[in-house]
Amino acid sequence: MHHAIARILKYCGALASVFAIAVCALEGAKSAAQGGKQSQPHAGASANSSDASPIYGVRIPAGYRDWKLIAVKSLKVGDKADQLRAQLGNDIAVKAFKEGTMPFPDGSIIAALHWTRVLSDSDSAVIAAQFPGAQSFVIGSAVNVQFMVKDSKKYAATGGWGFADFTKGKPGDQKLHEACFPCHGPAKDHDFVFTHYAPTP
Amino acid sequence: MHHAIARILKYCGALASVFAIAVCALEGAKSAAQGGKQSQPHAGASANSSDASPIYGVRIPAGYRDWKLIAVKSLKVGDKADQLRAQLGNDIAVKAFKEGTMPFPDGSIIAALHWTRVLSDSDSAVIAAQFPGAQSFVIGSAVNVQFMVKDSKKYAATGGWGFADFTKGKPGDQKLHEACFPCHGPAKDHDFVFTHYAPTP
């Protein structure tokens, strides 16, 4: 079922493919090379390295979990997917978001962290006692993480961006990564980036 | 309606009060003193300052928007509230989360940022073409921000925590802030903190 979904979604744009990546990452992980999580800085590694994404050769940037917050999202597809998502950026990316710099400067990296979204019965029960139907959702478990890395020369053929999708530290397969750039096409006027910077409360 | 809800929720624990704060912040803002957003470091300001929270005297910490991500949540209460939420922490707080240090050390500050959650028609439409009912939600606008500041001596009467709720830079009123500590009671075994650290994908 997942493979069929993956093929259908591969040619859909925008978030369809983000979702495809999220779902397909589960499939992609099966084909991922052996190897544990590599917390190495983004470098021009061979795309054949087991710890780098196919096509683009992007590795998991060290310390990305501590990057600054860009925005938060949630995604639900019937009973197939229910996720909480956060986009984080390195300093170059976040500075560009804040200043409205377009296109993003070389060196910008955006990380999209995805988790399952689960209903918190204890929290919800407290609210629901007064507000029937109240629902408080929290993070369940990690699903996958995706990266967009700006290098206008190296990735000139794909709008200046290199893409990567990792599940449990392993990159997805070639087919998965072929879907990235086409699906970001609808965001061309925003330098192929869907995410917008969340306002400061 | 909002005032009635506020009174009911004031005595509810856990997330009921977090919601109460979120909803009541709209009411609280009306009673907030005049003054724009004060981006000053947390200091022992008089609780009567127009830019500090009643009871606790907590001000909006400078630069909190760029703090590290702790976790993400969403909250829905019928048609009354639909929010995306992020908890951010200063370095002391995040270090404690990562290392499982309990209770949180003095100087820890946790920020809870709340936004409205809105359906993105354009994103959803792309996915829904293949997956009927697919829904992609993004941040609409800022609602309010809340802070918990650890000072075990200054705030000994309230578990070592000082609380604050700001809407558009203005602190909520006394009644709003009286609800904070009682409602965090159910989290006593986790140093009165509901949020847990999101795993790294």
Side-chain angles (χ1 to χ4, degrees):
Chain A
M1 179 61 171
H2 281 298
H3 280 297
I5 294 175
R7 291 195 199 94
I8 291 171
L9 288 178
K10 196 170 80 168
Y11 301 102
C12 293
L15 212 56
S17 291
V18 173
F19 166 66
I21 291 171
V23 171
C24 298
L26 296 174
E27 301 301 316
K30 295 180 189 173
S31 65
Q34 291 292 331
K37 176 176 172 178
Q38 299 282 330
S39 292
Q40 300 182 16
H42 158 62
S46 159
N48 290 326
S49 299
S50 63
D51 58 351
S53 62
I55 306 173
Y56 304 103
V58 169
R59 286 182 170 139
I60 295 175
Y64 81 87
R65 178 66 181 77
D66 287 334
W67 287 356
K68 295 170 182 173
L69 180 72
I70 298 168
V72 174
K73 283 183 177 178
S74 70
L75 173 69
K76 191 165 182 357
V77 184
D79 56 0
K80 296 184 175 64
D82 194 349
Q83 297 184 357
L84 282 169
R85 302 179 148 204
Q87 294 81 45
L88 308 181
N90 65 354
D91 287 352
I92 299 175
V94 171
K95 185 173 187 288
F97 270 110
K98 288 180 178 180
E99 297 175 357
T101 304
M102 203 57 54
F104 285 84
D106 282 359
S108 299
I109 305 179
I110 299 169
L113 289 68
H114 304 156
W115 300 273
T116 55
R117 188 179 77 132
V118 297
L119 188 62
S120 171
D121 290 338
S122 56
D123 285 348
S124 299
V126 176
I127 306 176
Q130 301 293 339
F131 295 90
Q135 296 180 306
S136 174
F137 295 89
V138 300
I139 283 170
S141 58
V143 176
N144 65 328
V145 60
Q146 303 171 326
F147 299 99
M148 286 179 71
V149 177
K150 197 70 181 298
D151 185 328
S152 54
K153 291 186 173 61
K154 181 176 181 182
Y155 302 124
T158 49
W161 292 101
F163 297 83
D165 184 305
F166 293 89
T167 297
K168 294 188 186 0
K170 297 180 182 178
D173 63 12
Q174 172 112 359
K175 181 178 290 185
L176 184 79
H177 285 82
E178 285 172 354
C180 302
F181 181 58
C183 292
H184 275 256
K188 185 177 180 181
D189 291 343
H190 192 243
D191 198 22
F192 301 98
V193 173
F194 293 120
T195 299
H196 292 269
Y197 191 71
T200 301
Chain B
M1 180 61 174
H2 282 300
H3 281 297
I5 294 175
R7 290 195 200 94
I8 291 171
L9 288 179
K10 196 170 80 168
Y11 300 102
C12 293
L15 212 56
S17 291
V18 174
F19 167 66
I21 290 171
V23 172
C24 297
L26 296 174
E27 300 302 317
K30 295 180 189 171
S31 65
Q34 291 292 331
K37 175 176 174 178
Q38 300 282 331
S39 292
Q40 298 181 19
H42 158 63
S46 159
N48 290 325
S49 299
S50 63
D51 58 352
S53 63
I55 306 174
Y56 303 102
V58 169
R59 285 183 171 140
I60 295 175
Y64 80 87
R65 178 63 180 81
D66 288 334
W67 286 356
K68 296 171 182 174
L69 180 72
I70 297 168
V72 172
K73 283 184 177 178
S74 71
L75 173 68
K76 189 164 184 359
V77 184
D79 57 1
K80 296 185 175 64
D82 194 349
Q83 297 185 357
L84 282 168
R85 301 178 150 203
Q87 293 81 46
L88 307 181
N90 65 354
D91 287 352
I92 299 174
V94 171
K95 184 173 188 288
F97 270 110
K98 288 181 179 181
E99 297 175 357
T101 304
M102 203 56 52
F104 284 84
D106 282 359
S108 299
I109 306 180
I110 299 170
L113 289 69
H114 304 156
W115 300 273
T116 56
R117 189 179 76 132
V118 298
L119 189 62
S120 171
D121 289 337
S122 55
D123 285 349
S124 299
V126 175
I127 307 177
Q130 300 293 338
F131 295 91
Q135 296 179 306
S136 173
F137 296 89
V138 299
I139 282 170
S141 57
V143 176
N144 66 328
V145 60
Q146 302 171 328
F147 300 98
M148 287 180 70
V149 177
K150 197 71 182 294
D151 185 328
S152 54
K153 290 186 174 58
K154 182 176 181 182
Y155 302 124
T158 50
W161 292 101
F163 297 83
D165 185 303
F166 293 88
T167 297
K168 295 189 183 5
K170 298 180 182 179
D173 63 12
Q174 173 111 359
K175 182 179 288 185
L176 184 78
H177 286 82
E178 285 171 353
C180 301
F181 182 58
C183 292
H184 274 256
K188 184 178 181 181
D189 290 343
H190 192 242
D191 199 23
F192 302 96
V193 173
F194 293 120
T195 299
H196 291 269
Y197 192 71
T200 301

